[in-house]
Amino acid sequence: MAAELRAPWAVGLMFAAPSVGALAASATSGWAGRVHRHGRGIALSAAGWGLAIAGFGLAPDIGVALALLVLAGGADMLSGIFRQTLWNQTIPDALRGRLAGIELLSYGFGPSAGQIRAGGLASITSPRFSLWSGGLLCVGAVALICAVLPGFLVYTARGADGDAGL
């Protein structure tokens, strides 16, 4: 992508940009403690990541590309914050060890599988197509999961007495 944007000097910045976004999201995440609809927070964050990656694939220049990677990193961090909170509130103690193993497997395998998809598709189309289509595929997957698991989207940590949060 750096070569397509005529900015081969920016490869390192492109690799670092998501971490900058994650650090910024983490440093300013105090507001996330007031969010009580964690399923919705996860869905919005994951869809935000997908939209940022789709935008990155369509970026007209390196400045826009880097900004979108920063946004993607921030969205990914927020998704992680909400996932961990939901996990801690809903998983029974007796199942934590087994489910933690599955979670670790997803952290180890998920990104690699995504890279295989992205690289394979880029090799038969283009890096840009692979990026924007993958981002939109993520948004579509989030929408599908929310449709199939409506309880996930409406889950609230506050219980039945109402929710003023996200």
Side-chain angles (χ1 to χ4, degrees):
M1 189 64 179
E4 289 203 19
L5 293 171
R6 291 177 289 292
W9 53 267
V11 170
L13 293 174
M14 293 172 90
F15 276 109
S19 296
V20 171
L23 179 64
S26 181
T28 61
S29 66
W31 61 270
R34 293 186 300 276
V35 174
H36 299 281
R37 291 191 178 210
H38 300 116
R40 184 178 292 173
I42 294 166
L44 291 172
S45 299
W49 182 88
L51 289 172
I53 294 299
F56 172 62
L58 299 170
D61 59 55
I62 191 64
V64 172
L66 289 171
L68 288 164
L69 286 173
V70 168
L71 289 173
D76 190 40
M77 176 56 76
L78 290 173
S79 173
I81 290 169
F82 293 131
R83 283 191 321 268
Q84 189 64 43
T85 303
L86 184 74
W87 168 281
N88 288 334
Q89 292 176 343
T90 61
I91 303 298
D93 289 339
L95 297 177
R96 283 185 193 272
R98 286 174 280 206
L99 291 174
I102 294 169
E103 183 78 1
L104 183 60
L105 179 63
S106 75
Y107 286 146
F109 178 72
S112 298
Q115 294 297 335
I116 291 169
R117 184 221 52 91
L121 188 56
S123 71
I124 59 174
T125 59
S126 72
R128 283 184 178 272
F129 179 82
S130 178
L131 285 162
W132 69 256
S133 65
L136 293 181
L137 182 63
C138 172
V139 173
V142 169
L144 178 63
I145 289 169
C146 290
V148 171
L149 302 171
F152 172 74
L153 195 59
V154 299
Y155 167 80
T156 178
R158 286 199 174 163
D161 55 333
D163 183 1
L166 180 65

